[in-house]
Amino acid sequence: MNQPPRIALTHVSKRFASPHGKQPGQQVLSDVSLALQEGEFVCLLGASGCGKSTILNLLAGFEQPDQGQLLINGQPITGPGPDRGMVFQQPTLFPWLSVLDNVTFGPRMAGQTRQQYLAQAERQLRQVGLQDYADHFPWQLSGGMRQRAALARAWLPNPDILLMDEPFGALDAQTRLAMQELLTQIWQNTGTTLLFVTHDVDEALFLADRVLIMSSQPGRIREELHVPFERPRNIEDLVAEPAYGQLKRRILHVVREEAAKSLQTETS
Ligand SMILES: Nc1ncnc2c1ncn2[C@@H]1O[C@H](COP(=O)(O)OP(=O)(O)OP(=O)(O)O)[C@@H](O)[C@H]1O
Ligand SMILES: [Mg+2]
């Protein structure tokens, strides 16, 4: 029997109520269908406000769809669960906890003992190069190191799926590239299925097996592009490939068209 996709959205629609409850509210997603196979790395691109974070929130179990179905391994989502991790644009670490206590926050809250989680936490810290910073506090770390701690925390329960919402958006270009390489390595070691939201076309082409581009207002999947480059990828070689320029041009064209449409809607 065929394995069901790791993630499947079929005909998903979502409307948010207006703040005053009188207007009909905003149709954010309309008839969104997409599927990710186990171990796939997919980037989601689209204009601001088109519903990218809403898709991640539905998959995380933080929101419910109005219509359509969201399945994980063929099973409906009933709420948040340890099989799905989330990484946000800001690292969201607790400032009063050490790196180790931040990374192990989930298992500690679930009542696990230090003995149960320590070896795995140390492995995760080594994986992101923070083994010498376990006792540091977030304010003693650079932005990139904080985001590495957030990656270690997200991977600690060994999730099947990681939902990443512009996780490197606040980093400088060099740190961002280092984080992209680190993420690719961890992904290849773990086989986690990754749905990664970004506004950065180069980031999407460096990371993804597939790129999904959304339309605006209401959000739909407008275009899907296969990223054909072999792994491991090297950014210097990649940018020299003619196919890289062609894909980048196509994505920029669609994203700009959608961004212009959403600006028109906002100002009309
Ligand atoms: N909980 C909520 N209640 C009401 N409206 C919401 C809620 N969450 C999102 N929205 C609205 O839904 C629309 C889509 O929001 P969403 O955060 O999914 O966009 P996005 O594509 O992630 O944008 P960005 O690229 O700026 O992060 C926005 O207009 C937003 O105001
Ligand atoms: Mg967002």
Side-chain angles (χ1 to χ4, degrees), residues 16-17 26 28 46-55 63 165-166 199:
F16 284 113
Q26 186 193 357
V28 174
S48 181
C50 73
K52 302 179 295 296
S53 298
T54 303
I55 290 181
E63 301 276 2
D165 203 350
E166 302 185 55
H199 284 279

Side-chain angles (χ1 to χ4, degrees), residues 37-53:
Q37 300 306 321
E38 182 182 345
E40 241 195 319
F41 196 147
V42 171
C43 280
L44 194 57
L45 272 135
S48 181
C50 73
K52 302 179 295 296
S53 298

Side-chain angles (χ1 to χ4, degrees), residues 65-82:
D66 299 330
Q67 279 165 23
Q69 210 180 24
L70 290 109
L71 303 177
I72 303 288
N73 301 324
Q75 300 297 317
I77 295 172
T78 53

